[in-house]
Amino acid sequence: ASSGSGALSPFDRQLKRKQKNWAALQAEPAKCDYLREEVGATAGGPGTFPLALDVGSGRGYIAQHLTKETVEKLIQVDIAENALKNTVESEIPTVNVVADEEFLPFKEDTFDLVLSSLSLHWVNDLPRAFREIHQVLKPDGVFIGAMFGGDTLYELRCSLQLAELEREGGFSPHVSPFTAVSDLGHLLSRAGFNTLTVDTDEIQVNYPGLFEVMEDLQGKYVLCMGESNCAWNRKPLLHRETMLAAAAIYQEMYGNSDGSVPATFQIYYMIGWKFHESQARPAQRGSATVSLGDLAKIDGLLSRGKK
């Protein structure tokens, strides 16, 4: 992984590895993983896959929801060795490999299925990661993934930025940048995937206030999930006055009628296939036998049929 900062390498991958390694050693991580558990439970695909790969597997959030009827053998890859040492039990035979999501150490055309759940948002070079996934898939293999999207924690982000502008005359990022859904399909297509499906979902969690949001994020995402910010341009601390102002702004702009405040997590779900001759393909351009102009004649044809 890149060791330098910049627009093409926004994240400190070595720091992310340390964060995830430390998070995996916490006493009761299962209590903190509700988002990963919920998203991981949606993984799976049609038919049976002899060999599957889980990219950024963490403690095995996907594996525990798979059965022998869907996957015969699973390779789990993560940048953090401690996460792989503390994987949850699964009925599927698994092999754990320590590797970076951007540099998959597998031969071309190896896997029938590649899965990834809430890991790719920390990748510096997402186009490269998609190309790596496409390369290790067999022809007619499928990639099924989920990642945090652009509107994740927008309430917290806006409140902190407005408070910093007011109290400090400028702001720094406290929530990591996310990919826009409008770019996702294009990136998958450029990597070589076809028959694409991209969907979005939102999970909203209510809290008493901003401080509880921050505490929960630090507890669940920093301690347990290793989801603390690792951007090179992150700010190390927030002033107390800025936090108090942000809490008031959060409540004023986004507060619920019962006094609680929402925290929104946007999830992008994606499916893409690697090309194979057996797959259905669009008809050649100009081969249509019906013109769109004929649509105007439908009413007349229907009325004749009734007579």
Side-chain angles (χ1 to χ4, degrees):
S2 175
S3 59
S5 61
L8 298 180
S9 298
F11 303 121
D12 184 344
R13 293 289 291 174
Q14 292 302 319
L15 175 60
K16 175 51 57 185
R17 178 171 175 267
K18 292 178 181 178
Q19 290 171 345
K20 294 185 72 174
N21 269 325
W22 188 80
L25 298 178
Q26 302 312 299
E28 297 181 284
K31 292 183 178 180
C32 307
D33 293 341
Y34 58 84
L35 274 178
R36 289 194 184 277
E37 294 284 357
E38 181 169 341
V39 175
T42 64
T48 301
F49 301 92
L51 183 61
L53 172 68
D54 182 358
V55 178
S57 63
R59 297 177 55 252
Y61 302 98
I62 292 179
Q64 61 184 321
H65 298 291
L66 300 176
T67 66
K68 293 180 180 179
E69 286 70 34
T70 54
V71 173
E72 296 177 4
K73 185 177 181 180
L74 178 67
I75 309 296
Q76 298 184 131
V77 169
D78 200 273
I79 196 173
E81 60 270 20
N82 288 342
L84 296 174
K85 291 177 183 177
N86 293 277
T87 53
V88 296
E89 292 185 5
S90 171
E91 66 177 62
I92 303 172
T94 61
V95 175
N96 297 331
V97 177
V98 179
D100 194 303
E101 293 93 330
E102 293 183 32
F103 305 91
L104 297 178
F106 304 105
K107 294 182 180 179
E108 188 175 356
D109 301 340
T110 298
F111 298 96
D112 305 278
L113 168 68
V114 176
L115 302 163
S116 182
S117 180
L118 302 185
S119 171
L120 293 175
H121 59 285
W122 285 124
V123 168
N124 272 319
D125 192 344
L126 190 57
R128 179 193 176 98
F130 283 152
R131 290 195 301 269
E132 290 275 313
I133 291 171
H134 182 270
Q135 180 173 314
V136 301
L137 271 173
K138 293 180 180 178
D140 203 32
V142 60
F143 166 56
I144 302 176
M147 61 186 293
F148 285 121
D151 287 338
T152 295
L153 296 174
Y154 72 88
E155 304 98 338
L156 177 63
R157 184 187 298 119
C158 291
S159 299
L160 289 172
Q161 288 179 356
L162 289 173
E164 280 192 301
L165 282 171
E166 176 190 346
R167 297 304 175 97
E168 302 178 31
F171 66 86
S172 299
H174 298 283
V175 179
S176 66
F178 297 104
T179 302
V181 68
S182 58
D183 296 330
L184 198 54
H186 179 61
L187 291 176
L188 289 166
S189 179
R190 282 182 56 192
F193 292 100
N194 57 30
T195 319
L196 297 174
T197 301
V198 177
D199 198 6
T200 65
D201 189 19
E202 286 188 356
I203 299 175
Q204 195 171 84
V205 183
N206 292 322
Y207 296 90
L210 176 138
F211 291 102
E212 287 77 12
V213 175
M214 298 290 287
E215 181 182 2
D216 202 42
L217 290 174
Q218 291 175 353
K220 289 180 170 57
Y221 298 94
V222 178
L223 299 182
C224 298
M225 292 171 59
E227 285 294 323
S228 50
N229 192 359
C230 68
W232 287 102
N233 60 350
R234 64 193 179 275
K235 190 175 181 179
L237 57 85
L238 278 167
H239 297 294
R240 176 176 172 79
E241 294 77 11
T242 302
M243 288 290 292
L244 291 171
I249 294 171
Y250 204 136
Q251 184 66 53
E252 178 66 25
M253 293 182 62
Y254 305 108
N256 299 316
S257 58
D258 62 358
S260 64
V261 296
T264 300
F265 300 87
Q266 186 176 41
I267 314 294
Y268 296 159
Y269 295 95
M270 67 204 92
I271 301 175
W273 296 79
K274 188 169 182 176
F275 175 76
H276 187 267
E277 290 292 339
S278 64
Q279 294 173 352
R281 282 176 281 182
Q284 292 184 354
R285 185 178 180 88
S287 62
T289 58
V290 179
S291 170
L292 290 175
D294 294 334
L295 291 175
K297 304 175 183 178
I298 288 180
D299 289 339
L301 295 172
L302 290 176
S303 60
R304 289 181 194 175
K306 291 178 181 179
K307 294 178 181 179

